[in-house]
Amino acid sequence: MTARVGVLALQGDVREHVRVLSGLGAEVTLVRRPDELAAVGGLVVPGGESSVIDKLSRAFGMQQPIRAAIAAGMPLYGTCAGLILLADRIENPIDGQESFGGLDITVRRNAFGGQVESFETDLDVAGFDGPAHAAFIRAPLVTATGAQVETLAALPPELGGGIVAVRQGNLLGTAFHPEVSGDTRFHELFLGSVRAA
Ligand code: GLN
């Protein structure tokens, strides 16, 4: 069964997600309008700048349709800024910044300052048969999780041990960018939820 999925295409690394999802055999469309969202069975919220994606999603009339889709159980996968947009709580939003919500987590934007602002590392991920190579680019951290949230990966102790991949029901979020480092397993997990939904 071919999964029909969308990538929210308001800002960010849209093309990289389209490439990975197409490579996995999904039918991928760009989503900017409510009718385009209604035509897909799952949505990726890309990396980029969460405050910009937030603002544009409200300007394009997409915030409420996306919230409704999440409430109805649509599978979504957010990377980096996308993870921030799926979080119920942002520790340090810019003035007026909102999220779609859905994941019962608190995130801290730009959690790595100074020299480690961007870095790569290998992560052990629950359910994966080998480590995932992960690229962090001005990445957020998950600083609190509710009871329904499953932690899929945390940083190694020498990098602080923070939570960087989570799942709750049909929502998946990573603080890093598998679409950049070439690991397709998170997108496969997402497509699995889409096929099952
Ligand atoms: N720092 C960005 C934000 O707060 C996220 C960076 C990214 O998506 N690579 O939205």
Side-chain angles (χ1 to χ4, degrees):
M1 179 174 113
T2 306
R4 291 192 59 155
V5 296
V7 179
L8 185 63
L10 301 172
Q11 189 264 340
D13 70 335
V14 174
R15 217 172 304 174
E16 287 76 4
H17 282 287
V18 171
R19 191 177 307 135
V20 175
L21 293 164
S22 306
L24 291 171
E27 192 185 315
V28 192
T29 59
L30 302 185
V31 169
R32 292 191 189 89
R33 298 194 317 247
D35 60 310
E36 292 165 340
L37 179 65
V40 296
L43 184 72
V44 166
V45 185
E49 173 50 48
S50 55
S51 59
V52 174
I53 299 175
D54 164 47
K55 240 177 239 160
L56 291 173
S57 71
R58 284 185 273 157
F60 279 68
M62 287 300 287
Q63 187 193 59
Q64 291 313 322
I66 289 174
R67 285 181 174 170
I70 290 170
M74 180 188 273
L76 272 80
Y77 174 31
T79 62
C80 203
L83 168 71
I84 296 168
L85 280 149
L86 292 183
D88 281 348
R89 294 167 299 278
I90 305 173
E91 216 175 270
N92 52 348
I94 69 160
D95 215 17
Q97 179 174 0
E98 296 176 12
S99 67
F100 304 133
L103 284 173
D104 183 11
I105 60 172
T106 306
V107 292
R108 181 185 305 150
R109 301 174 54 239
N110 305 320
F112 307 89
Q115 295 195 339
V116 292
E117 197 166 76
S118 297
F119 60 96
E120 298 184 20
T121 189
D122 287 328
L123 295 172
D124 289 324
V125 182
F128 286 13
D129 53 7
H133 190 69
F136 292 80
I137 306 165
R138 294 176 55 77
L141 263 184
V142 177
T143 55
T145 57
Q148 305 303 312
V149 177
E150 184 188 354
T151 295
L152 297 181
L155 288 171
E158 64 273 19
L159 287 170
I163 297 171
V164 290
V166 292
R167 180 166 58 182
Q168 180 180 356
N170 278 336
L171 302 180
L172 176 67
T174 59
F176 49 90
H177 296 271
E179 76 281 11
V180 170
S181 57
D183 196 313
T184 61
R185 288 174 288 179
F186 289 95
H187 292 80
E188 286 171 47
L189 211 54
F190 164 68
L191 291 176
S193 303
V194 174
R195 289 193 193 95

